[in-house]
């Protein structure tokens, strides 16, 4: 059962002309983002457990950052990563969580969806990709990140 508004209905609720303007537009947009992302993942036949885990990761990051996705900054991810490292989480766990956030941000900024437009018109700010090559954890066995002096260096 759908517990969020699709983009079309969300626009109507957010519209001042509708007579049904949302009391908390930021929460309405955030919940609709998460709900529609879950729906998109279901359309890809991902397992419910995978979807729930990913959504939980995004929610945890949002709580940590104290902000909504259209307010997130790369520095929020830097601080979150530092927090995970200070808790001595495994390298793979940190990389996985960053990957989930990257997927979510890619979904939000995709021109195939309306989130950039909705956030711009509602909040004057848009979501962006906060997981960048220079602030995300690399896979430890990625040959492109090994030094030429390492025994694992592969030459083509």
């Amino acid at each position: 059962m759908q517990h969020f508004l699709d983009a079309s209905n969300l626009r109507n609720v957010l519209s001042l002309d509708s007579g049904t303007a949302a009391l908390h537009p930021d929460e309405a947009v955030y919940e609709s983002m998460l709900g529609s992302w879950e729906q998109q993942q279901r359309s890809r036949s991902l397992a419910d457990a995978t979807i729930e885990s990913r959504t939980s990761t995004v929610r945890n990051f949002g709580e940590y950052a104290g902000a909504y996705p259209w307010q997130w900054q790369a520095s929020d991810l830097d601080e979150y990563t530092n927090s995970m490292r200070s808790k001595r989480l495994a390298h793979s766990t940190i990389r996985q969580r960053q990957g989930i956030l990257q997927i979510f941000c890619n979904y939000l900024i995709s021109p195939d969806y309306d989130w950039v437009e909705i956030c711009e018109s509602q909040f004057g700010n848009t979501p962006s990709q906060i997981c960048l090559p220079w602030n995300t954890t690399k896979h430890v066995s990625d040959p492109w990140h090994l030094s030429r002096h390492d025994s694992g260096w592969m030459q083509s």
Side-chain angles (χ1 to χ4, degrees):
M1 176 156 60
Q2 185 170 315
H3 298 285
F4 65 95
L5 297 172
D6 60 36
S8 172
N9 287 326
L10 180 64
R11 285 174 202 249
N12 288 336
V13 169
L14 294 174
S15 169
L16 296 176
D17 299 332
S18 71
T20 61
L23 293 176
H24 302 285
D26 46 6
E27 273 300 313
V29 171
Y30 184 50
E31 290 303 321
S32 292
M33 286 175 160
L34 289 170
S36 65
W37 184 50
E38 289 175 345
Q39 183 173 281
Q40 182 261 357
Q41 293 176 88
R42 279 189 196 87
S43 75
R44 296 176 50 217
S45 298
L46 296 182
D48 286 341
T50 298
I51 296 168
E52 290 167 13
S53 174
R54 287 177 170 189
T55 300
S56 177
T57 296
V58 171
R59 284 188 187 281
N60 288 338
F61 176 75
E63 289 172 16
Y64 178 88
Y68 293 104
W70 54 92
Q71 300 166 320
W72 293 349
Q73 301 291 317
S75 59
D76 294 326
L77 182 70
D78 297 345
E79 292 169 14
Y80 183 63
T81 301
N82 217 20
S83 171
M84 289 188 289
R85 287 177 52 87
S86 71
K87 294 176 185 174
R88 301 199 183 282
L89 294 181
H91 186 89
S92 59
T93 301
I94 294 170
R95 195 169 54 82
Q96 178 189 38
R97 290 180 184 177
Q98 290 173 339
I100 290 167
L101 292 169
Q102 184 176 40
I103 291 166
F104 181 66
C105 289
N106 282 340
Y107 167 76
L108 294 180
I109 64 175
S110 170
D112 297 321
Y113 300 95
D114 297 328
W115 297 115
V116 170
E117 182 183 322
I118 289 170
C119 291
E120 177 66 38
S121 67
Q122 188 64 35
F123 308 113
N125 202 354
T126 61
S128 62
Q129 181 53 262
I130 62 168
C131 300
L132 307 165
W134 50 86
N135 74 344
T136 51
T137 303
K138 306 297 180 242
H139 194 285
V140 293
S141 65
D142 185 346
W144 296 108
H145 295 95
L146 296 175
S147 161
R148 286 193 169 131
H149 301 290
D150 288 340
S151 61
W153 176 256
M154 297 170 43
Q155 296 194 6
S156 46

